[in-house]
């Protein structure tokens, strides 16, 4: 495996994944609701905080090439259409500490109303203390799974 490290800045997301959004259509955070479905399909997210880090690598953009996991047409909520999700392992470095993470990619073609900037990656990670919005961090990506331009 070849890893590419890119610099990023933590940005505030929509807060739907963590369940902190005030106008979310879901009864809980999407990660909490999706976790049992991913576990059933062979991906255990229990080591990660149930929310995503939104990391901007602007002006660069990313594209998934061959993500480690892809789950097609997953019906994770009874009131909404199925979605496709992909995941790719990554590493996050912040304040000289390294954390295992996963790129979390809900395919936009299957998620109506979900618009993510192509320079922003959503990442699952363990809880990282003292990580405010605007902090710079390093994100290491597997180049066989993720391309950065």
């Amino acid at each position: 495996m070849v890893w590419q490290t890119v610099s990023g800045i933590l940005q505030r997301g929509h807060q739907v994944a963590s369940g902190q959004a005030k106008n979310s259509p879901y009864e809980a955070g999407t990660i909490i609701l999706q976790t049992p479905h991913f576990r059933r399909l062979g991906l255990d997210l229990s080591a990660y905080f149930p929310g995503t880090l939104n990391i901007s690598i602007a002006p660069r953009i990313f594209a998934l090439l061959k993500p480690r996991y892809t789950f097609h047409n997953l019906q994770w909520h009874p009131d909404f259409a199925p979605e496709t999700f992909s995941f790719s392992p990554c590493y996050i470095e912040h304040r000289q500490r390294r954390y295992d993470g996963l790129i979390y990619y809900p395919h936009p073609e299957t998620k109506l109303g979900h618009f993510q900037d192509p320079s922003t990656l959503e990442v699952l990670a363990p809880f990282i203390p003292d990580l405010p919005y605007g902090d710079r961090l390093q994100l290491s990506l597997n180049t066989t799974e993720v391309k950065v331009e």
Side-chain angles (χ1 to χ4, degrees), residues 78-147:
D79 298 335
F80 296 92
E83 295 177 58
T84 297
F85 296 89
S86 290
F87 297 86
S88 179
C90 64
Y91 297 105
I92 302 154
E93 293 178 40
H94 181 256
R95 297 184 183 171
Q96 290 80 45
R97 292 208 51 204
R98 182 171 149 167
Y99 303 89
D100 291 337
L102 272 179
I103 293 172
Y104 167 83
Y105 186 75
H107 288 242
E109 67 274 14
T110 64
K111 180 153 184 83
L112 298 175
H114 180 78
F115 303 102
Q116 191 68 279
D117 184 311
S119 65
T120 300
L121 293 109
E122 287 187 87
V123 176
L124 294 169
F127 179 77
I128 300 174
D130 302 318
L131 181 59
Y133 297 121
D135 258 18
R136 185 166 294 281
L137 43 78
Q138 301 297 311
L139 191 60
S140 297
L141 309 168
N142 180 337
T143 60
T144 61
E145 297 186 24
V146 183
K147 178 171 105 175

Side-chain angles (χ1 to χ4, degrees), residues 9-16 18 20-22 52-56 115-117 120-122 131-135:
I9 296 175
L10 183 66
Q11 296 185 324
R12 179 183 285 274
H14 302 291
Q15 299 187 313
V16 174
S18 65
Q20 296 176 11
K22 293 185 182 2
T52 60
L53 299 173
N54 290 266
I55 302 171
S56 172
F115 303 102
Q116 191 68 279
D117 184 311
T120 300
L121 293 109
E122 287 187 87
L131 181 59
Y133 297 121
D135 258 18

Side-chain angles (χ1 to χ4, degrees), residues 26 29-30 33-34 37 74-78 80-83 85 111:
Y26 307 106
T30 58
L33 296 173
Q34 293 164 357
H37 299 279
L74 179 63
Q75 182 69 55
W76 64 272
H77 195 284
F80 296 92
E83 295 177 58
F85 296 89
K111 180 153 184 83

